[in-house]
Amino acid sequence: VERQFLRAKKILTLCVDPSWLPMEALDNGRHIGIAADFLNTLKDQLGVEYRVLATNSWAQSLQQGRDGQCDLFPMIMNTKERKSFLDSTAAYIKSPLVLVTDVLQPYHTDISALKGFKVGISQDYAFKQSLTKQYPEVTFVDVAHISDGLDKVRQGELYGYVDSLASAGYWIQNNFNGELKVSGELDNTWLLSMGVQKHLPLLTSALDK
């Protein structure tokens, strides 16, 4: 039944984060990163092609998903709000959340000590609501995407920025080497799955298999 569905579907429309390397990104409209590599390994098994809906931000991509414009999010965290329009596969990527600061700042074993400090987090990222509840002393500030957040840390507009260790390490190494560093690990883990529109249960079960 799943193969019949996939043969009839032929093309899967993707909603992606346009600026979240090494997880995923758009490069002149082309989907790249870890999520893209996973999808490419599945392509022959699924017997489908992919079409990416290009956006300028993760917030825009989420809205496209809510509007039913895409079939699949290749890499997304399952949340209560997203369950209203998405089903999730089993998680296939696990990464701790970390705090990034200027290289001169100390290592923080507990970021709740950052009372009154401004810490950036990308707009509409799944962890913002839970982090705000867990660390009410910290002022979390929305930024457009990871490069925007890290640049604001470098310029001193923000004390720090929170993201997955994989993404933070990639961006520091490639764009902020010697300027920024990982200065703490939060007591949270980012579990990432593929998100599938709820009206496509056969796609979810096929991806899980």
Side-chain angles (χ1 to χ4, degrees):
V1 178
E2 291 161 346
R3 291 196 181 280
Q4 289 176 349
F5 162 78
L6 291 167
R7 280 196 295 268
K9 186 69 176 168
K10 294 181 182 178
I11 298 174
L12 297 178
T13 305
L14 310 179
C15 281
V16 307
D17 191 325
S19 181
W20 195 31
L21 286 175
M23 300 305 195
E24 65 175 354
L26 291 178
D27 181 16
N28 294 319
R30 185 173 65 93
H31 187 215
I32 60 173
I34 294 171
D37 291 342
F38 268 95
L39 285 183
N40 285 333
T41 64
L42 295 175
K43 190 182 235 183
D44 291 339
Q45 297 176 60
L46 295 174
V48 296
E49 297 295 328
Y50 305 120
R51 180 172 69 90
V52 180
L53 288 183
T55 65
N56 295 318
S57 70
W58 177 237
Q60 284 185 0
S61 293
L62 278 176
Q63 189 57 54
Q64 285 188 331
R66 292 187 191 99
D67 294 342
Q69 296 181 45
C70 56
D71 302 315
L72 175 68
F73 283 83
M75 189 173 283
I76 191 169
M77 184 174 173
N78 189 10
T79 68
K80 184 177 180 180
E81 186 272 333
R82 294 169 187 173
K83 285 180 180 178
S84 65
F85 63 97
L86 292 179
D87 287 328
S88 295
T89 66
Y92 69 100
I93 291 287
K94 180 178 180 180
S95 182
L97 282 179
V98 296
L99 172 72
V100 178
T101 70
D102 179 274
V103 292
L104 298 178
Q105 301 303 327
Y107 189 88
H108 297 278
T109 56
D110 182 0
I111 73 163
S112 62
L114 299 179
K115 183 177 181 179
F117 285 88
K118 293 180 180 179
V119 175
I121 189 166
S122 290
Q123 185 178 8
D124 282 334
Y125 269 18
F127 262 108
K128 184 186 177 183
Q129 187 174 7
S130 61
L131 289 178
T132 301
K133 291 180 179 178
Q134 188 175 353
Y135 302 103
E137 307 87 353
V138 181
T139 303
F140 289 100
V141 178
D142 281 341
V143 298
H145 42 68
I146 186 169
S147 59
D148 176 42
L150 294 179
D151 194 52
K152 282 180 166 59
V153 175
R154 176 170 59 183
Q155 295 177 24
E157 294 179 37
L158 295 173
Y159 179 83
Y161 172 80
V162 171
D163 210 310
S164 71
L165 176 60
S167 296
Y170 175 90
W171 278 87
I172 291 171
Q173 183 176 357
N174 288 278
N175 299 280
F176 299 93
N177 197 14
E179 299 177 295
L180 304 181
K181 67 173 184 176
V182 172
S183 292
E185 183 173 326
L186 283 68
D187 187 24
N188 306 80
T189 299
W190 211 308
L191 294 174
L192 299 167
S193 310
M194 293 187 183
V196 182
Q197 289 287 347
K198 292 185 80 69
H199 67 277
L200 300 173
L202 290 175
L203 177 56
T204 306
S205 59
L207 289 168
D208 267 329
K209 287 176 181 176

